[in-house]
Amino acid sequence: MNNIAVMYHYVREQECWKGIVPMRPVEFAQQIDELSRTHEIISLDQIHEVRTKPWCILTFDDGTKDQYTHAFDILKQKGLPAYFTIMSGPLLSGNIPIMHLVHTVLSFKSDEEIWELLKRNYDTDGIEEQSSVYAYEQKKLRRYNKYMLNFRLSTTEARHFLESLFLSLFPDKSKFITDFYLTRDEIRKMSHEGMTIGVHCHKHSPYTGDPQLFYDTEIEPCKILLNELIGNNPKWYTPAFGGGNHFELMKEELTPTLLNNGFKGAFSTIPGNIKSEPGFWMDRIDCNKLPPLGNMNIL
Ligand SMILES: [Zn+2]
Protein backbone atom coordinates (compact mmCIF):
# COMPACT_ATOMS: atom_id res chain seq x y z
CA MET A 1 0.00 0.00 0.00
CA ASN A 2 1.10 3.54 -0.74
CA ASN A 3 0.98 7.02 0.70
CA ILE A 4 -1.76 9.05 -0.94
CA ALA A 5 -3.35 12.50 -1.10
CA VAL A 6 -7.07 12.62 -1.80
CA MET A 7 -8.55 15.58 -3.69
CA TYR A 8 -11.92 16.99 -2.65
CA HIS A 9 -13.98 19.88 -4.03
CA TYR A 10 -17.61 20.38 -2.95
CA VAL A 11 -18.80 18.40 0.10
CA ARG A 12 -22.54 19.08 0.40
CA GLU A 13 -26.00 17.87 -0.51
CA GLN A 14 -26.79 18.68 -4.09
CA GLU A 15 -30.15 20.39 -3.30
CA CYS A 16 -30.84 22.93 -6.04
CA TRP A 17 -27.19 23.03 -7.21
CA LYS A 18 -27.79 20.93 -10.29
CA GLY A 19 -24.73 22.39 -12.07
CA ILE A 20 -22.22 20.68 -9.72
CA VAL A 21 -21.45 17.12 -8.66
CA PRO A 22 -20.72 17.34 -4.92
CA MET A 23 -19.78 14.53 -2.56
CA ARG A 24 -22.54 14.10 0.03
CA PRO A 25 -21.43 14.70 3.66
CA VAL A 26 -22.51 11.19 4.68
CA GLU A 27 -20.37 9.68 1.89
CA PHE A 28 -17.44 11.90 2.90
CA ALA A 29 -17.69 10.67 6.50
CA GLN A 30 -17.84 7.04 5.35
CA GLN A 31 -14.94 7.51 2.98
CA ILE A 32 -12.61 8.93 5.62
CA ASP A 33 -13.62 6.21 8.11
CA GLU A 34 -12.73 3.68 5.47
CA LEU A 35 -9.43 5.42 4.64
CA SER A 36 -8.55 5.50 8.35
CA ARG A 37 -8.56 1.69 8.41
CA THR A 38 -5.78 1.33 5.86
CA HIS A 39 -3.98 4.70 6.16
CA GLU A 40 -3.01 7.14 8.85
CA ILE A 41 -4.66 10.47 8.07
CA ILE A 42 -1.97 13.02 8.88
CA SER A 43 -1.32 16.73 8.49
CA LEU A 44 1.22 18.08 6.00
CA ASP A 45 3.82 18.87 8.65
CA GLN A 46 3.99 15.14 9.49
CA ILE A 47 4.82 13.77 6.03
CA HIS A 48 8.51 13.23 6.77
CA GLU A 49 7.90 11.38 10.06
CA VAL A 50 8.68 7.69 10.01
CA ARG A 51 5.63 5.45 10.50
CA THR A 52 4.61 1.88 9.89
CA LYS A 53 1.24 2.52 8.24
CA PRO A 54 0.97 4.35 4.86
CA TRP A 55 -0.30 7.88 5.26
CA CYS A 56 -3.03 9.93 3.64
CA ILE A 57 -3.48 13.69 3.27
CA LEU A 58 -6.99 15.02 2.69
CA THR A 59 -6.82 18.04 0.34
CA PHE A 60 -9.56 20.55 -0.46
CA ASP A 61 -9.52 22.99 -3.39
CA ASP A 62 -11.34 26.30 -3.98
CA GLY A 63 -12.22 27.32 -0.40
CA THR A 64 -15.98 27.06 -0.73
CA LYS A 65 -18.29 27.40 2.26
CA ASP A 66 -19.54 23.79 2.17
CA GLN A 67 -16.02 22.70 3.10
CA TYR A 68 -16.40 24.62 6.37
CA THR A 69 -20.01 23.68 7.05
CA HIS A 70 -19.65 19.96 6.28
CA ALA A 71 -16.08 18.73 5.77
CA PHE A 72 -14.45 20.75 8.57
CA ASP A 73 -17.30 19.88 10.92
CA ILE A 74 -16.98 16.14 10.24
CA LEU A 75 -13.16 16.28 10.51
CA LYS A 76 -13.39 18.08 13.87
CA GLN A 77 -15.77 15.44 15.23
CA LYS A 78 -13.34 12.71 14.17
CA GLY A 79 -10.24 14.63 15.34
CA LEU A 80 -8.61 14.43 11.91
CA PRO A 81 -6.43 17.03 10.16
CA ALA A 82 -6.74 18.19 6.54
CA TYR A 83 -5.31 20.70 4.09
CA PHE A 84 -7.58 23.45 2.72
CA THR A 85 -6.56 25.88 -0.03
CA ILE A 86 -7.91 29.36 -0.55
CA MET A 87 -8.76 31.49 -3.58
CA SER A 88 -8.23 35.12 -2.57
CA GLY A 89 -9.94 36.89 -5.54
CA PRO A 90 -13.51 36.78 -4.24
CA LEU A 91 -12.47 38.05 -0.77
CA LEU A 92 -10.05 40.73 -1.96
CA SER A 93 -11.57 42.05 -5.17
CA GLY A 94 -15.17 40.78 -5.12
CA ASN A 95 -14.69 38.79 -8.34
CA ILE A 96 -15.99 35.28 -8.90
CA PRO A 97 -13.97 33.04 -11.26
CA ILE A 98 -15.65 31.90 -14.48
CA MET A 99 -15.72 28.30 -13.29
CA HIS A 100 -17.96 29.18 -10.34
CA LEU A 101 -20.14 31.46 -12.50
CA VAL A 102 -20.65 28.43 -14.79
CA HIS A 103 -21.56 26.20 -11.82
CA THR A 104 -24.04 28.77 -10.53
CA VAL A 105 -25.70 29.61 -13.83
CA LEU A 106 -26.00 25.94 -14.83
CA SER A 107 -27.56 25.26 -11.43
CA PHE A 108 -30.23 27.94 -11.44
CA LYS A 109 -31.08 28.61 -15.11
CA SER A 110 -32.58 25.94 -17.33
CA ASP A 111 -30.41 24.47 -20.08
CA GLU A 112 -33.09 25.53 -22.58
CA GLU A 113 -32.94 29.16 -21.50
CA ILE A 114 -29.12 29.31 -21.57
CA TRP A 115 -28.99 27.63 -24.98
CA GLU A 116 -31.55 30.04 -26.46
CA LEU A 117 -29.44 32.98 -25.28
CA LEU A 118 -26.18 31.50 -26.55
CA LYS A 119 -27.71 30.63 -29.92
CA ARG A 120 -29.09 34.13 -30.31
CA ASN A 121 -25.77 35.83 -29.54
CA TYR A 122 -22.97 33.57 -30.75
CA ASP A 123 -21.97 31.29 -33.61
CA THR A 124 -22.97 27.74 -32.66
CA ASP A 125 -21.92 25.95 -35.90
CA GLY A 126 -20.42 22.49 -35.38
CA ILE A 127 -21.58 22.31 -31.77
CA GLU A 128 -23.07 18.81 -32.10
CA GLU A 129 -19.70 17.23 -32.94
CA GLN A 130 -17.44 19.44 -30.85
CA SER A 131 -19.48 19.13 -27.67
CA SER A 132 -18.79 15.38 -27.60
CA VAL A 133 -15.94 16.18 -25.14
CA TYR A 134 -18.82 16.34 -22.66
CA ALA A 135 -20.21 12.93 -23.68
CA TYR A 136 -20.64 12.09 -19.98
CA GLU A 137 -23.37 14.73 -19.73
CA GLN A 138 -26.69 13.03 -20.47
CA LYS A 139 -28.53 16.13 -21.68
CA LYS A 140 -27.70 17.40 -25.15
CA LEU A 141 -28.24 21.07 -24.27
CA ARG A 142 -26.06 20.76 -21.14
CA ARG A 143 -23.27 19.46 -23.41
CA TYR A 144 -23.79 22.34 -25.85
CA ASN A 145 -23.86 24.97 -23.11
CA LYS A 146 -20.76 23.69 -21.38
CA TYR A 147 -18.85 23.56 -24.65
CA MET A 148 -19.88 27.09 -25.63
CA LEU A 149 -19.04 28.57 -22.21
CA ASN A 150 -15.80 26.71 -21.55
CA PHE A 151 -14.32 26.48 -25.07
CA ARG A 152 -16.06 28.46 -27.82
CA LEU A 153 -16.50 31.84 -26.16
CA SER A 154 -13.43 33.91 -25.29
CA THR A 155 -12.83 34.51 -21.58
CA THR A 156 -14.18 38.05 -21.94
CA GLU A 157 -17.29 36.89 -23.80
CA ALA A 158 -17.95 34.09 -21.31
CA ARG A 159 -17.56 36.43 -18.34
CA HIS A 160 -19.84 39.02 -19.88
CA PHE A 161 -22.51 36.43 -20.75
CA LEU A 162 -22.33 34.66 -17.39
CA GLU A 163 -22.20 37.77 -15.23
CA SER A 164 -25.42 39.19 -16.64
CA LEU A 165 -27.22 35.88 -15.96
CA PHE A 166 -25.54 35.55 -12.57
CA LEU A 167 -26.64 39.05 -11.50
CA SER A 168 -30.23 38.27 -12.50
CA LEU A 169 -30.05 35.36 -10.03
CA PHE A 170 -27.91 36.90 -7.27
CA PRO A 171 -28.10 40.71 -7.50
CA ASP A 172 -26.07 41.10 -4.29
CA LYS A 173 -22.67 39.76 -5.36
CA SER A 174 -20.95 40.46 -2.04
CA LYS A 175 -23.64 38.52 -0.17
CA PHE A 176 -23.16 35.64 -2.60
CA ILE A 177 -19.41 35.70 -1.90
CA THR A 178 -20.00 35.62 1.86
CA ASP A 179 -22.43 32.71 1.48
CA PHE A 180 -20.48 30.73 -1.11
CA TYR A 181 -16.84 31.08 0.03
CA LEU A 182 -14.98 30.76 3.31
CA THR A 183 -14.92 34.08 5.14
CA ARG A 184 -11.82 35.53 6.82
CA ASP A 185 -13.12 34.40 10.23
CA GLU A 186 -13.80 30.89 9.01
CA ILE A 187 -10.28 30.58 7.57
CA ARG A 188 -8.83 31.82 10.90
CA LYS A 189 -10.95 29.37 12.84
CA MET A 190 -9.95 26.40 10.68
CA SER A 191 -6.29 27.30 11.08
CA HIS A 192 -6.67 27.66 14.88
CA GLU A 193 -8.28 24.24 15.02
CA GLY A 194 -5.30 22.55 13.39
CA MET A 195 -6.18 22.57 9.70
CA THR A 196 -3.36 23.43 7.28
CA ILE A 197 -4.26 26.42 5.10
CA GLY A 198 -2.51 26.83 1.75
CA VAL A 199 -2.60 28.89 -1.42
CA HIS A 200 -4.87 27.87 -4.29
CA CYS A 201 -4.87 31.02 -6.41
CA HIS A 202 -6.08 34.59 -6.68
CA LYS A 203 -8.31 34.53 -9.79
CA HIS A 204 -8.21 30.82 -10.66
CA SER A 205 -6.12 31.31 -13.81
CA PRO A 206 -4.20 28.46 -15.46
CA TYR A 207 -0.42 28.80 -15.91
CA THR A 208 0.50 30.47 -19.19
CA GLY A 209 4.26 30.98 -18.81
CA ASP A 210 6.24 33.78 -17.12
CA PRO A 211 6.73 32.36 -13.63
CA GLN A 212 7.38 35.71 -11.92
CA LEU A 213 4.27 37.33 -13.37
CA PHE A 214 2.22 34.27 -12.46
CA TYR A 215 3.65 34.30 -8.93
CA ASP A 216 2.94 38.02 -8.51
CA THR A 217 -0.65 37.86 -9.81
CA GLU A 218 -1.91 34.41 -8.79
CA ILE A 219 0.07 33.44 -5.68
CA GLU A 220 1.38 36.52 -3.85
CA PRO A 221 -2.02 38.21 -3.20
CA CYS A 222 -3.34 34.98 -1.66
CA LYS A 223 -0.15 34.46 0.35
CA ILE A 224 -0.38 38.00 1.81
CA LEU A 225 -4.04 37.51 2.74
CA LEU A 226 -3.29 34.18 4.42
CA ASN A 227 -0.34 35.63 6.31
CA GLU A 228 -2.71 38.28 7.70
CA LEU A 229 -5.28 35.63 8.68
CA ILE A 230 -3.17 32.76 10.01
CA GLY A 231 -0.23 34.77 11.33
CA ASN A 232 2.49 33.22 9.17
CA ASN A 233 3.33 32.59 5.53
CA PRO A 234 1.53 29.64 3.96
CA LYS A 235 3.96 26.85 3.03
CA TRP A 236 1.84 24.71 0.70
CA TYR A 237 0.47 25.36 -2.76
CA THR A 238 -2.17 23.77 -5.00
CA PRO A 239 -2.46 25.48 -8.42
CA ALA A 240 -5.83 26.18 -10.02
CA PHE A 241 -6.72 23.51 -12.62
CA GLY A 242 -3.57 21.68 -11.45
CA GLY A 243 -1.70 24.30 -13.51
CA GLY A 244 -3.84 23.63 -16.60
CA ASN A 245 -2.51 22.36 -19.93
CA HIS A 246 0.94 23.77 -19.17
CA PHE A 247 1.47 21.85 -15.96
CA GLU A 248 4.84 20.40 -17.01
CA LEU A 249 6.13 23.85 -17.96
CA MET A 250 4.76 25.29 -14.72
CA LYS A 251 6.49 22.61 -12.69
CA GLU A 252 9.79 23.36 -14.37
CA GLU A 253 9.58 27.16 -14.32
CA LEU A 254 7.61 27.94 -11.17
CA THR A 255 9.17 25.51 -8.67
CA PRO A 256 12.34 27.63 -8.09
CA THR A 257 10.16 30.72 -7.48
CA LEU A 258 8.00 28.77 -5.02
CA LEU A 259 11.08 27.47 -3.17
CA ASN A 260 12.59 30.98 -3.02
CA ASN A 261 9.37 32.21 -1.45
CA GLY A 262 9.35 29.63 1.32
CA PHE A 263 6.98 27.02 -0.09
CA LYS A 264 7.69 23.46 1.06
CA GLY A 265 5.58 21.53 -1.41
CA ALA A 266 2.69 21.50 -3.85
CA PHE A 267 -0.05 19.28 -5.21
CA SER A 268 -0.93 18.40 -8.79
CA THR A 269 -4.14 16.97 -10.21
CA ILE A 270 -2.17 14.16 -11.84
CA PRO A 271 -3.64 10.89 -10.60
CA GLY A 272 -1.19 8.84 -8.59
CA ASN A 273 0.28 7.79 -5.25
CA ILE A 274 3.04 9.55 -3.33
CA LYS A 275 6.55 8.12 -2.99
CA SER A 276 7.74 7.12 0.46
CA GLU A 277 10.10 10.14 0.34
CA PRO A 278 7.78 12.73 -1.26
CA GLY A 279 9.22 15.27 -3.70
CA PHE A 280 8.14 18.93 -3.96
CA TRP A 281 5.21 18.04 -6.25
CA MET A 282 2.78 15.39 -5.07
CA ASP A 283 0.12 13.64 -7.14
CA ARG A 284 -3.42 13.13 -5.89
CA ILE A 285 -6.37 10.78 -6.25
CA ASP A 286 -9.77 12.32 -6.91
CA CYS A 287 -12.21 11.39 -4.11
CA ASN A 288 -14.63 10.00 -6.71
CA LYS A 289 -11.96 7.67 -8.10
CA LEU A 290 -11.06 5.95 -4.82
CA PRO A 291 -11.90 2.24 -4.67
CA PRO A 292 -15.43 1.54 -3.45
CA LEU A 293 -15.98 1.16 0.29
CA GLY A 294 -14.43 -2.03 1.61
CA ASN A 295 -11.69 -2.07 -1.04
CA MET A 296 -9.26 0.64 0.09
CA ASN A 297 -6.60 -2.02 0.70
CA ILE A 298 -5.93 -2.15 -3.05
CA LEU A 299 -4.49 1.37 -2.94
ZN1 LIG B 1 -9.77 25.21 -8.20
Side-chain angles (χ1 to χ4, degrees):
M1 272 194 301
N2 296 291
N3 300 327
I4 53 167
V6 184
M7 172 170 70
Y8 293 94
H9 287 89
Y10 297 105
V11 178
R12 54 168 299 152
E13 296 297 337
Q14 186 152 34
E15 293 166 335
C16 43
W17 283 80
K18 60 187 171 63
I20 62 172
V21 189
M23 172 167 272
R24 298 180 57 218
V26 60
E27 287 172 61
F28 173 71
Q30 281 169 352
Q31 191 171 73
I32 56 175
D33 283 348
E34 192 76 15
L35 278 166
S36 302
R37 288 197 198 121
T38 49
H39 290 71
E40 205 159 331
I41 296 178
I42 62 165
S43 81
L44 274 167
D45 52 22
Q46 299 174 299
I47 60 174
H48 296 292
E49 289 173 9
V50 179
R51 62 190 72 245
T52 47
K53 227 172 160 184
W55 50 255
C56 168
I57 303 282
L58 306 173
T59 77
F60 294 83
D61 291 13
D62 296 334
T64 52
K65 179 77 82 196
D66 53 294
Q67 296 176 355
Y68 179 86
T69 316
H70 303 293
F72 173 53
D73 187 53
I74 292 167
L75 290 163
K76 259 195 312 187
Q77 287 171 31
K78 297 183 185 291
L80 293 171
Y83 161 61
F84 292 85
T85 59
I86 305 301
M87 169 165 55
S88 52
L91 284 176
L92 294 177
S93 54
N95 285 325
I96 298 166
I98 288 190
M99 160 194 77
H100 284 154
L101 291 175
V102 171
H103 292 173
T104 309
V105 167
L106 291 180
S107 291
F108 296 97
K109 290 278 181 192
S110 72
D111 286 310
E112 289 73 14
E113 188 181 350
I114 301 168
W115 177 241
E116 274 312 309
L117 283 169
L118 284 168
K119 213 166 55 172
R120 204 181 305 153
N121 292 290
Y122 303 97
D123 173 20
T124 59
D125 276 1
I127 190 74
E128 174 97 49
E129 236 166 73
Q130 290 169 0
S131 64
S132 62
V133 290
Y134 289 115
Y136 64 87
E137 288 286 358
Q138 308 260 306
K139 277 186 76 179
K140 182 177 80 177
L141 294 185
R142 173 64 55 107
R143 291 199 293 276
Y144 290 5
N145 290 338
K146 282 183 103 166
Y147 187 80
M148 289 297 289
L149 294 169
N150 290 321
F151 290 100
R152 181 72 69 87
L153 270 61
S154 69
T155 313
T156 320
E157 285 171 333
R159 179 166 285 282
H160 176 78
F161 180 86
L162 289 162
E163 275 194 340
S164 69
L165 282 177
F166 174 85
L167 288 173
S168 73
L169 294 162
F170 297 96
D172 188 345
K173 202 165 157 191
S174 69
K175 182 181 183 306
F176 178 89
I177 288 173
T178 305
D179 293 344
F180 190 77
Y181 294 103
L182 299 172
T183 61
R184 286 174 165 79
D185 281 346
E186 287 159 354
I187 297 168
R188 261 189 220 113
K189 187 152 184 249
M190 291 166 91
S191 171
H192 281 159
E193 306 230 7
M195 301 295 149
T196 305
I197 307 292
V199 171
H200 189 39
C201 59
H202 183 55
K203 294 184 184 169
H204 214 275
S205 307
Y207 186 71
T208 49
D210 198 335
Q212 193 59 50
L213 179 70
F214 186 78
Y215 183 84
D216 293 346
T217 52
E218 274 298 296
I219 299 175
E220 181 82 354
C222 186
K223 184 181 164 188
I224 293 171
L225 172 73
L226 294 185
N227 182 305
E228 179 196 314
L229 297 177
I230 64 179
N232 49 55
N233 278 329
K235 305 265 184 309
W236 303 94
Y237 173 54
T238 303
F241 306 115
N245 295 333
H246 302 293
F247 171 67
E248 285 303 326
L249 183 70
M250 184 189 78
K251 209 160 118 178
E252 191 188 314
E253 294 181 342
L254 192 67
T255 310
T257 315
L258 289 166
L259 284 165
N260 285 340
N261 284 283
F263 284 88
K264 285 191 192 167
F267 288 89
S268 72
T269 47
I270 304 212
N273 302 321
I274 300 174
K275 296 191 192 82
S276 49
E277 236 345 279
F280 186 86
W281 285 95
M282 290 175 271
D283 296 339
R284 293 188 287 174
I285 301 175
D286 186 287
C287 62
N288 297 305
K289 306 257 167 71
L290 281 175
L293 296 181
N295 293 288
M296 293 293 178
N297 54 349
I298 65 167
L299 278 166

